Amino acid sequence: MPTPTLLVLDAEPLPRLGSLTGRARIEHTDAAGLAERLPRADVLLVWDFTSRAVRDAWPGEGPRPRWVHTASAGVDHLMCPELAASDTVVTNARGIFDQPIAEYVAALVLAMAKDLPRTLELQRERTWRHRESLKIAGSRAVVVGSGPIGRAIARTLGALDITTALVGRAARSGVHGPEDLDRLLARADWVIAAAPLTDETHGMFDVRRFGLMQPSARFVNIGRGQLVVEDALAEALAKRWIAGAALDVFEAEPLPAESPLWDAPGLIVSPHMSGDTIGWRDELGLQFVELYEQWAAGEPLRNVVDKQRGYVPGH
């Protein structure tokens, strides 16, 4: 059997794939060269998971890789109708980011409850101003997205004695269905968006949904930027419909300097870093090597994405 060709859509730093020497013919490409190289590849590793180059290159002529792996939890950046309709298997980095993101969400909840941003501002001003903060034990959270990341968030918030409701695409044991979301939002102190980006979830947090929330509620998005109508969130903060928010993902990334979100009252902005702990790229590389060994041995792959739904089913 000829040595399979592994094509890597590059991003710096490059993945460590030395352990595949002799077991794969490794080629590298940037976005501009992807369309030309795709027909010669058996496997495509989308290491640059911020690129939409796969969506543009996939519909071209010629053979296509039998397997595509993206070094990210989301797959919306690469999924196009032609890929969805093909026999190509798509896998993602499920499992790498769950606990780091959960810890980041807990940190944001604590920071907002304890007014840490204002404390740091006052320190820079050399101002001593006593304030009262919120007790989070006994408060209520809604996590929208019942996959591994959402479940890790619920467990971590539970350790802080926050009563947490999970909302998924369908009701089942321990998970509410979409029909319960509005009712839960109206009672929540913390609303966490952790859903995959699909046709159903695009723009789900809009003027109506922010209007349902309590004036004391805080909103956090660590899912996908397109889950949120950003103008609606800015309006909700400006009019004090909700008490605060934290966004780690945005419709346009990097967030443009002229975006009004930078100055939105009560908003914490972070640069899509909630899952990125020290050593995370090495973990992504090791995960891919393990998957490659399964694929080369003809074994069933883990983390197979349902290309119609846009995520790994079974949660």
Side-chain angles (χ1 to χ4, degrees):
M1 177 180 176
T3 302
T5 297
L6 166 59
L7 180 62
V8 182
L9 179 59
D10 285 343
E12 294 291 342
L14 297 177
R16 297 180 181 179
L17 302 175
S19 61
L20 296 182
T21 301
R23 292 186 287 167
R25 182 183 301 105
I26 301 174
E27 298 184 0
H28 294 267
T29 186
D30 58 12
L34 180 62
E36 179 184 353
R37 292 176 177 267
L38 266 182
R40 301 195 299 270
D42 298 293
V43 179
L44 173 64
L45 168 57
V46 185
W47 191 248
D48 184 0
F49 52 80
T50 66
S51 172
R52 296 174 64 88
V54 176
R55 294 176 64 101
D56 297 330
W58 196 271
E61 297 181 356
R64 289 295 179 261
R66 292 173 281 160
W67 168 37
V68 173
H69 177 77
T70 179
S72 61
V75 299
D76 49 280
H77 59 291
L78 58 85
M79 202 58 66
C80 60
E82 292 81 3
L83 174 54
S86 72
D87 294 331
T88 297
V89 174
V90 176
T91 57
N92 71 354
R94 181 185 184 185
I96 299 296
F97 302 107
D98 306 355
Q99 191 56 36
I101 290 177
E103 293 171 3
Y104 198 87
V105 169
L108 289 171
V109 167
L110 286 165
M112 288 188 282
K114 304 308 176 184
D115 200 22
L116 293 185
R118 183 61 178 150
T119 294
L120 294 174
E121 289 177 7
L122 291 170
Q123 180 180 347
R124 284 191 292 270
E125 296 170 5
R126 297 174 179 259
T127 299
W128 181 278
R129 183 175 300 160
H130 180 270
R131 285 137 29 244
E132 296 176 345
S133 64
L134 297 173
K135 182 178 74 171
I136 63 172
S139 63
R140 295 173 174 172
V142 175
V143 178
V144 183
S146 59
I149 292 174
R151 294 199 301 271
I153 292 170
R155 288 193 303 271
T156 304
L157 295 183
L160 296 172
D161 201 18
I162 299 174
T163 301
T164 305
L166 274 173
V167 178
R169 61 182 178 83
R172 56 195 185 278
S173 178
V175 178
H176 294 267
E179 64 277 6
D180 291 337
L181 178 57
D182 288 356
R183 174 178 61 83
L184 293 168
L185 288 179
R187 303 171 60 196
D189 301 294
W190 312 98
V191 178
I192 317 299
L197 181 61
T198 66
D199 290 342
E200 291 74 25
T201 62
H202 192 285
M204 68 183 302
F205 290 100
D206 54 12
V207 168
R208 187 184 72 82
R209 287 257 164 77
F210 288 121
L212 289 173
M213 297 179 195
Q214 301 183 90
S216 59
R218 270 88 171 172
F219 174 77
V220 176
N221 185 16
I222 48 76
R224 311 302 282 175
Q226 292 83 355
L227 300 178
V228 177
V229 179
E230 293 179 347
D231 288 345
L233 174 60
E235 180 181 7
L237 290 168
K239 293 182 177 179
R240 300 294 193 269
W241 293 351
I242 61 174
L247 300 180
D248 187 56
V249 287
F250 301 86
E251 187 168 359
E253 296 184 6
L255 185 65
E258 64 274 14
S259 171
L261 292 175
W262 288 108
D263 299 314
L267 178 62
I268 298 174
V269 171
S270 60
H272 204 149
M273 59 181 284
S274 61
D276 301 349
T277 52
I278 294 170
W280 65 285
R281 291 185 178 87
D282 290 339
E283 291 185 51
L284 288 171
L286 287 172
Q287 181 186 55
F288 174 74
V289 169
E290 291 174 0
L291 288 171
Y292 184 90
E293 291 171 348
Q294 287 182 316
W295 178 82
E299 299 172 359
L301 287 170
R302 294 178 288 108
N303 293 6
V304 175
V305 172
D306 183 320
K307 294 185 290 183
Q308 303 304 319
R309 295 178 179 176
Y311 52 86
V312 179
H315 51 70

